[in-house]
């Protein structure tokens, strides 16, 4: 039988989002599981990508990436400033604590390794120039559940994809 845990009523339907527990397994987790950091944004870091990063990056490069991760935009992987504008290298000092030249060198290295990339947004500036933005490789890090297919294509031959 299926029982509604709030009312104790026997029901015969299971709806979307419902969880089914055996009495023994439910009792074994009672009081041990909490809704941890409810409402806090998080970034997915995929196991295989993190293993590769651990073998490829220096400590300074890893720290550089970690400082930028909170700036990943939900469902796009675009790096944005706190005010929502597209992040440029000149903006990175606020997040990394280092000056322009080291940020430039780190960004170039991350692009060369396929950890970051430059991606055309499809939008244009006031002069008609196509806007490019800095993005993180979604095969390594991601925030959200969706990703533009063009972004997957950008990183598909970098060696970080699952294939």
């Amino acid at each position: 039988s299926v029982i509604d845990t709030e009312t104790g009523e026997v029901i015969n339907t299971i709806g979307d989002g419902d969880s089914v527990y055996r009495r023994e397994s439910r009792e074994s987790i009672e009081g041990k599981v909490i809704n941890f950091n409810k409402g806090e944004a998080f970034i997915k870091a995929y196991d295989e990508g993190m293993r590769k990063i651990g073998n490829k990056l220096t400590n300074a490069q890893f720290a550089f990436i970690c400082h930028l991760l909170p700036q990943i935009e939900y469902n796009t992987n675009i790096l944005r400033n706190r005010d929502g504008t597209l992040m440029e290298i000149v903006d990175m000092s606020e997040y990394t604590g280092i000056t322009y030249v080291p940020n430039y060198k780190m960004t170039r290295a991350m692009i060369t390794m396929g950890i970051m990339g430059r991606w055309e947004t499809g939008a244009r500036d006031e002069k008609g120039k196509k806007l490019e933005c800095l993005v993180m490789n979604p095969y390594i890090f991601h925030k959200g559940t969706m990703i533009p297919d063009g972004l997957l294509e950008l990183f598909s031959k970098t060696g970080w994809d699952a294939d």
Side-chain angles (χ1 to χ4, degrees):
S1 297
V2 178
I3 301 172
D4 184 318
T5 58
E6 291 179 14
T7 66
E9 177 184 355
V10 175
I11 56 175
N12 292 319
T13 59
I14 300 173
D16 288 343
D18 287 350
S19 298
V20 177
Y21 297 97
R22 293 162 116 174
R23 182 174 313 155
E24 298 82 24
S25 66
R26 181 69 182 179
E27 289 168 357
S28 70
I29 63 170
E30 256 339 290
K32 297 178 185 174
V33 176
I34 60 170
N35 192 345
F36 182 70
N37 280 345
K38 185 176 181 177
E40 183 69 25
F42 64 92
I43 298 151
K44 297 173 191 173
Y46 295 104
D47 291 349
E48 189 57 30
M50 293 306 293
R51 281 187 201 96
K52 288 180 183 178
I53 275 184
N55 292 324
K56 278 190 163 197
L57 299 187
T58 65
N59 289 344
Q61 290 170 331
F62 185 75
F64 174 78
I65 290 297
C66 287
H67 284 297
L68 297 178
L69 289 177
Q71 302 315 123
I72 294 175
E73 182 179 50
Y74 190 78
N75 282 342
T76 68
N77 270 31
I78 293 172
L79 289 173
R80 291 202 179 263
N81 293 307
R82 288 184 185 101
D83 66 2
T85 58
L86 296 176
M87 183 183 290
E88 289 297 329
I89 295 169
V90 72
D91 304 317
M92 290 180 179
S93 292
E94 180 181 342
Y95 310 102
T96 65
I98 56 178
T99 60
Y100 179 84
V101 173
N103 279 322
Y104 175 80
K105 289 179 179 179
M106 288 283 195
T107 301
R108 296 277 303 152
M110 296 302 105
I111 290 172
T112 299
M113 286 189 249
I115 295 168
M116 291 173 67
R118 283 207 165 269
W119 188 48
E120 287 187 0
T121 64
R124 295 181 181 273
D125 67 12
E126 61 278 351
K127 295 178 183 174
K129 180 184 173 206
K130 285 186 179 180
L131 291 178
E132 282 190 343
C133 57
L134 291 167
V135 292
M136 287 289 193
N137 186 331
Y139 291 106
I140 308 169
F141 307 108
H142 184 56
K143 187 185 285 187
T145 56
M146 307 291 280
I147 198 74
D149 57 357
L151 191 57
L152 291 176
E153 188 177 322
L154 175 68
F155 289 102
S156 66
K157 292 179 176 55
T158 60
W160 294 93
D161 58 332
D163 296 334

